Amino acid sequence: MKNEEIKLGKVGLRALEPEDLDMLYSIENNRKLWYVGTANVPYSRYMLHDYIVNATGDIYTDKQVRMVITLSGKAVGLVDLFDFSPQHLRAEVGIAVLADYQGNGCAAEALQQLIDYARTTLHLHQLYALVAASNEKALSLFSKAGFLSSNVLNDWLFDGQKYENVALMQFFL
């Protein structure tokens, strides 16, 4: 998928480029997002640059695919397929949109494009997301895209002070 952009409407998805380093750095080092993922230390620009340079864009090699969400050609966020299981043909979905671009439908359109890509190009069977119970915007985003809440994982996330439940949301392609 290098240098290729998937485009539908006003929002596009494309491979990471070196010029995306500042945006990637700001998202990956946003401590408010750490508790929903596995990061617990800041990433250096060098480490992230190395990631951009060495990512193959092949989900079978990297076990993930990370794409940039664009709005009129401007990078406004990231969408990921990660924890890919080639045996079960499923992957977890992650999405992050820069604060200035939230609330305008970018995430919903990007998620729909990711679903289409997973179905028609990757031929996956299932996408899933683990969504914090308190994240009403994300719960709504995934629900509107057709993800079904299939289970609650109790005390799944820890923010350093308290535990929070997550909804396991699934989408069958």
Side-chain angles (χ1 to χ4, degrees):
M1 214 181 101
K2 293 273 187 199
N3 298 323
E4 194 176 317
E5 188 167 326
I6 301 169
K7 202 162 198 164
L8 180 69
K10 63 184 177 178
V11 173
L13 299 180
R14 65 166 173 75
L16 277 167
E17 298 287 350
E19 58 268 19
D20 298 318
L21 180 60
D22 288 339
M23 180 192 59
L24 181 62
Y25 183 84
S26 70
I27 289 173
E28 290 293 347
N29 290 309
N30 182 344
R31 291 177 185 258
K32 293 178 184 176
L33 299 177
W34 285 3
Y35 90 99
V36 297
T38 57
N40 60 5
V41 294
Y43 287 100
S44 69
R45 288 184 188 282
Y46 177 82
M47 289 169 50
L48 294 172
H49 180 268
D50 192 51
Y51 169 77
I52 292 171
V53 169
N54 291 308
T56 67
D58 177 7
I59 196 166
Y60 284 90
T61 300
D62 298 338
K63 301 296 184 258
Q64 68 175 12
V65 172
R66 173 171 276 180
M67 291 182 270
V68 174
I69 302 168
T70 61
L71 178 61
S72 302
K74 179 174 176 49
V76 299
L78 299 169
V79 65
D80 301 288
L81 291 175
F82 59 99
D83 286 343
F84 169 63
S85 169
Q87 179 182 3
H88 303 293
L89 294 174
R90 68 175 173 243
E92 187 171 350
V93 176
I95 190 163
V97 175
L98 297 172
D100 290 346
Y101 298 94
Q102 293 177 4
N104 66 2
C106 284
E109 198 166 328
L111 181 56
Q112 188 56 57
Q113 289 179 49
L114 186 70
I115 290 168
D116 293 342
Y117 175 73
R119 177 186 292 122
T120 61
T121 303
L122 300 177
H123 308 289
L124 298 184
H125 170 67
Q126 179 182 171
L127 299 176
Y128 68 95
L130 299 174
V131 182
S134 64
N135 192 342
E136 294 176 15
K137 288 181 182 179
L139 290 168
S140 176
L141 171 72
F142 285 102
S143 291
K144 286 179 182 175
F147 282 69
L148 301 174
S149 182
S150 63
N151 210 340
V152 173
L153 302 172
N154 294 310
D155 289 351
W156 196 256
L157 300 174
F158 184 63
D159 67 4
Q161 297 180 352
K162 65 182 181 331
Y163 284 93
E164 182 171 5
N165 298 345
V166 299
L168 170 59
M169 303 192 75
Q170 296 175 285
F171 187 94
F172 294 94
L173 299 159

